[in-house]
Amino acid sequence: MKRWIFGTTLSLSLLFGLSAPVEAAIPAVYTNSNLFTSEQDAPISFIQDTLGNFSGLTATGKAFTQRAVVADIHVRLHSFAIDQANFYISNFGTFLAESDTVALSIYLAQAGWEEVF
């Protein structure tokens, strides 16, 4: 049975709501290879710190975090991590990058330098 999941960017619901067909069960360990094609574990709790970062637990006990990459109101770029998976969420979409620096470079290329600064 295929399930379609929908969500919005820059929210915790993104991980649990990507627009992709889902055919597999919740994996024992999320990785960048299986994250977007696996069934998504539902968050049961999360907290926000004073900097706007989030951390929480899923129904199966997996810890996750979402943090701002840059503390600037003009840059909407967050890093999301769960198990061994780590990806980036921006107002331009979701993508994988090797580091925060690479992710910021991708973000700035998508945004255009003039729009950000």
Side-chain angles (χ1 to χ4, degrees):
M1 176 174 141
K2 283 190 177 182
R3 289 183 35 195
W4 289 89
I5 304 173
F6 299 93
T8 59
T9 57
L10 288 179
S11 70
L12 290 175
S13 65
L14 181 69
L15 173 64
F16 311 102
L18 292 172
S19 179
V22 176
E23 298 185 39
I26 294 170
V29 176
Y30 283 111
T31 66
N32 285 347
S33 298
N34 69 16
L35 180 68
F36 299 113
T37 57
S38 298
E39 183 176 341
Q40 302 302 308
D41 200 356
I44 58 168
S45 67
F46 59 89
I47 57 171
Q48 183 177 17
D49 67 19
T50 57
L51 300 174
N53 301 312
F54 293 90
S55 61
L57 289 174
T58 67
T60 63
K62 296 178 182 298
F64 63 87
T65 60
Q66 179 178 321
R67 63 174 179 75
V69 173
V70 177
D72 185 301
I73 62 170
H74 301 291
V75 177
R76 296 179 58 199
L77 178 61
H78 290 238
S79 173
F80 192 98
I82 185 168
D83 289 339
Q84 296 173 6
N86 184 49
F87 65 95
Y88 293 87
I89 308 164
S90 80
N91 49 315
F92 300 109
T94 303
F95 58 93
L96 298 174
E98 293 179 7
S99 67
D100 288 355
T101 303
V102 172
L104 184 57
S105 295
I106 292 169
Y107 176 87
L108 292 173
Q110 292 173 330
W113 295 91
E114 301 82 24
E115 293 179 32
V116 177
F117 297 105

